[in-house]
Amino acid sequence: MQTKEVHYSDYLRLDQILNAQVMESELQGAPAHDEMLFIIIHQAYELWFKQILFEIDSIAEIMGREIINDNSPELQTVVHRLGRIDTILKVAVHQIDILETMTPMDFLDFRDFLRPASGFQSWQFKITEAKLGLRFPERFGQEYYISQLRPEHITLIKSVEGKPSLLDLVNEWLERMPFFEQPEYWTGYEPLFPASGNKHPFWSDYSAIYASSLVEGETANRQPFENLFFGEESPTERRLSAKACRAALFIMLYRGYPLLQAPFRLLNNLLEIDEQLSTWRFRHVNMVTRMIGMRTGTGGSSGRGYLQGALDKHYIFREVAALSSYLIERRRLPRLSKELEERLGF
Amino acid sequence: MQTKEVHYSDYLRLDQILNAQVMESELQGAPAHDEMLFIIIHQAYELWFKQILFEIDSIAEIMGREIINDNSPELQTVVHRLGRIDTILKVAVHQIDILETMTPMDFLDFRDFLRPASGFQSWQFKITEAKLGLRFPERFGQEYYISQLRPEHITLIKSVEGKPSLLDLVNEWLERMPFFEQPEYWTGYEPLFPASGNKHPFWSDYSAIYASSLVEGETANRQPFENLFFGEESPTERRLSAKACRAALFIMLYRGYPLLQAPFRLLNNLLEIDEQLSTWRFRHVNMVTRMIGMRTGTGGSSGRGYLQGALDKHYIFREVAALSSYLIERRRLPRLSKELEERLGF
Amino acid sequence: MQTKEVHYSDYLRLDQILNAQVMESELQGAPAHDEMLFIIIHQAYELWFKQILFEIDSIAEIMGREIINDNSPELQTVVHRLGRIDTILKVAVHQIDILETMTPMDFLDFRDFLRPASGFQSWQFKITEAKLGLRFPERFGQEYYISQLRPEHITLIKSVEGKPSLLDLVNEWLERMPFFEQPEYWTGYEPLFPASGNKHPFWSDYSAIYASSLVEGETANRQPFENLFFGEESPTERRLSAKACRAALFIMLYRGYPLLQAPFRLLNNLLEIDEQLSTWRFRHVNMVTRMIGMRTGTGGSSGRGYLQGALDKHYIFREVAALSSYLIERRRLPRLSKELEERLGF
Amino acid sequence: MQTKEVHYSDYLRLDQILNAQVMESELQGAPAHDEMLFIIIHQAYELWFKQILFEIDSIAEIMGREIINDNSPELQTVVHRLGRIDTILKVAVHQIDILETMTPMDFLDFRDFLRPASGFQSWQFKITEAKLGLRFPERFGQEYYISQLRPEHITLIKSVEGKPSLLDLVNEWLERMPFFEQPEYWTGYEPLFPASGNKHPFWSDYSAIYASSLVEGETANRQPFENLFFGEESPTERRLSAKACRAALFIMLYRGYPLLQAPFRLLNNLLEIDEQLSTWRFRHVNMVTRMIGMRTGTGGSSGRGYLQGALDKHYIFREVAALSSYLIERRRLPRLSKELEERLGF
């Protein structure tokens, strides 16, 4: 098929890759053995961030289409690639084990040579967060952010923040879920409770069943439930609209139907990604604490302070995760009409 | 050697082990498939907790001896068994992956049958925390604690809390480190700075070097350093005395000498255990959030609230971890006398 | 819902579970610390084997139905539970790390007390293999097998071997795949090559494309391809019929269509399970080699010999794995008719 | 300390690292999404191989010194860095999970573009094997080896093979172990058995105890024991001399003494490395089998054939592992003299 022969070393640009390790401690005349590990592990992380961004872009391209054809592999490709990101993040978490073979004293041997560089300056990681859906106002330590990054990287990240994120695309995709707006799927539906307000009969029923499922200590959940799923105006800081929340909950409740399998796995994979990202931050905080304790980071940060702040604030898909508060037992689920059941099957 | 033949099934009491799974959902006439997983994973955890307790007891027995013979394998046994606990905890963390194959809807199928049982009632886990060094006043959610556990379990835990914990034993062992009190090891020591106060010449030097190593934003560390390592009266909530802190720091600084290798690994393994315990709690919080969101736990707790509180408060060896704030670069270390160097070697 | 209150300790039968560790070395008056670990890790394994058997039974129950309703969650439940078995096996593999904290010398301290017990006597593991599809004639070390197990366990395993295994059920399920027998799906199909023999036009095409895709050194694959997929008589040792092979290959090739997603994941999960089982055996061989070298096992086996033999022979789904030899590039795939495309979509 | 400020991106040469991914499928006009993953994972592997080589070189430098000072951190540094290699290899094994998210069909999309490149051409991996101790005659598939690698890489590997490997250095280091040649350590030793041949009294005793410890089916071990540990002429293919074997066995038997702790951990880490390397090869074989089945690899190899062959033959430290066949129970160990006990302590 091709004319020239491919060789492993050329194909992988090993000359470029394997000559990119320059130890500052050596340049400064005080070679510190462990700096090589420090460089290589960060380079390995950046390679994986590149891969993650590559996958997110391909996912966003599909999710941004006006119609995702159910008869095509598109949605399954999205699910598969989200799963791949999850797998990569699991290895990224595990990789911290390697950095932990460097003791605090070993790090001190070259730490001062690196100032003011800092892992905070990884623009690929910031872009990853932004592409998934983290917005500037939600970031912890915004001023620090501005002070640390190069102008061109800030511009880059801002431009990403200006475009629809994966979370935005998921919200729109959920809003497009058609069933509740097409009366033909509800002709055979038998309401269990009288309609309340202008809710769809299904949601009137669900609302009543949910309320009755709350045990002592949970009754305060009722009002948030009504607000989230039926509020007229979503608070501006919300990322999922009431309509999207209803669609997501419906998917979780009726995931047994073939048509809802891929959507369910898609939502689940988003939560997996958030979980791995947060585990990565968590282990990172622990590691930095062990490494430098209460000293300042090489970038001048309060060290673990930033990481801890980000850990608490940067859950990107928390609104999806929060929906599990509003599930009910399978045996109490309203029974769908035959028309809708058929639509949800093959 | 023995007269009777041993058989695998009898040896492992498999009749007992494999007949201990009784599903509440089945007893209540509504069998829920995933309850079996729920039972078995908790039983597997309890088996591992038993093993961890078995190791802690054997470690505490050695650490509690008045003299730990350097010519015996005792200290190495301690290090090895702490390492084993760490390995077990890593598998325990990984095991959460299995529970995550249970979705929120699957859990709802049998959740109500379990009230008011709760993982909080695992007395083995509470005793593990207590034996390692967590004391009642440091526990998050003390009232909840009292309300949930059976009187006999509270009594059991209290009785453990009344005995020296591993942390106490480590403190005493560190305090017994002899070098600074034996003048013969310091005859050849050449101080770098004039003595300050009634500090040992080594610590006068160290104190001065440490102060000079602080970069902008870190100078506030100086006073805590003086308090921790040379404070006359330790605040009552401190677990490590000033003397023990000095010993631990000395071990970290001079771990290159053979005699300090096992002590260094011992301290390091304590931090590993704390890290795995906290990672376990962290993943646990995440899992519970995904599983029940803001609903109350089966035990009536605020669900993730307790776990999050414990996550922040229950670092048992945090005072050991904090010592890394007070290290200096290897090349600035005071040079020990020949006498001491010999003592630290073979 | 229930009248009595459930307590964690009772619910989990902790009295039974935590009192099932009796150390032979203690009974014999020479307590060996590490025997506790040895007992507990085997009990943990047996708990997980019980869970795996529970999942296999539930899967086999569904796969054994004459019709698996595409409009029900049945097939997805099978996929999900196979995925769970895979997750459990991954933890089981990781768990070997814990046993490896026991050194050969530590094992020698109690090894002789255990004769002639042996891990080989785990009837749950043997049944797991049998339920998945391993048949007696395919087992390595059959005589050893007979000599080691108790008559009642042999009877139990034989009775399992007499029933359809998961592999048999998968074969039958694949054979039931309807598309090639229903001419209405092929009216619009445009053959690329003249029909050969009595092959379906699709397979005539595929056969020709496959043959042309073979590069130097691969041409010997052609005859096996013809035999496997179109052989009149399957050799008796084959587990998948030609018809089932065609169905499986079709699923792999066209997995992009929604209807084939769950079947594809099902096949993939079988391979994952085989891979984890073999990794478990592999690490097991390595561990035993390190532990006892060339000495005989407690059960009198040649130690690593049996495990190595089983490792090579006991791949249960190898015929499924082997199908990947017969795939072609996506861009060379025959284009399906509109009718079939619709059938494969929603 | 330094004059210029360091920035994360420059420090890590991210321009170089992140611009080294050129997809052949894109160059050939048929972009295949999964090729990016294929490139990046191989680059990540090569980064880690560079790190492993860096560690091996630093270890070999220390092990090659004529005297390894027991009063210095040298041996502990060796142990620590071998441990790091082990940790890296564990992540390398885990990383295969990522490649397994690529299905056989996804690979086919770009596989033909890569011919005749092949992972076999990773000269860093070949050098890693050679530096650890694999010699050319022990390699599986030597002709294939010559045909695949570039002349400059063959020269490079040959030159490494010409130097002492880590295994050679370990052999020499073991041979230097002094105790048996210094009569002062044996004055107080009380032989249990009459001396046999010209064996040292300790080994006469050990030999007799070992012989008496063999149970039925193990008696054939006796002759190999005598040959390995006391053979006059080692067969040329042996890597450890009889003297080195005796030293290694002594370390394993008496590892409880402080002086033997680091040596024991050193030997143990070698076995860990071999185990991880073999696990990596094993999962690699499995993955290739699933990916291309019986088709030939892109480099024209028989695909899984080479990997399987290497898996069986390339255990580098197998002679160390085999020593566990010759251990006896701790309670039967000859009691050392006071003089030697003191020498082995601090």
Side-chain angles (χ1 to χ4, degrees), chain C residues 94-111:
Chain C
H94 186 179
Q95 211 163 271
I96 293 178
D97 281 4
I98 301 178
L99 198 49
E100 286 182 342
T101 65
M102 191 172 79
T103 66
M105 287 291 282
D106 296 328
F107 182 44
L108 276 180
D109 278 348
F110 62 95
R111 172 175 168 252

Side-chain angles (χ1 to χ4, degrees), chain C residues 308 312, chain D residues 140 282 285 303-313:
Chain C
Q308 182 70 49
D312 293 342
Chain D
F140 177 82
F282 178 75
V285 175
R304 71 186 293 281
Y306 170 75
L307 287 160
Q308 183 70 49
L311 174 59
D312 292 341
K313 282 198 69 175

Side-chain angles (χ1 to χ4, degrees), chain B residues 16-63:
Chain B
Q16 230 170 299
I17 295 285
L18 300 178
N19 288 306
Q21 294 74 35
V22 184
M23 289 161 69
E24 276 296 320
S25 65
E26 211 161 76
L27 295 182
Q28 307 279 340
H33 178 84
D34 279 16
E35 192 186 350
M36 182 61 87
L37 179 71
F38 193 77
I39 292 173
I40 279 184
I41 197 167
H42 280 92
Q43 289 174 335
Y45 273 123
E46 291 291 337
L47 281 178
W48 289 121
F49 294 155
K50 172 158 183 174
Q51 183 64 36
I52 288 172
L53 285 170
F54 185 74
E55 301 294 354
I56 294 176
D57 284 345
S58 80
I59 289 164
E61 191 276 316
I62 296 173
M63 292 298 290

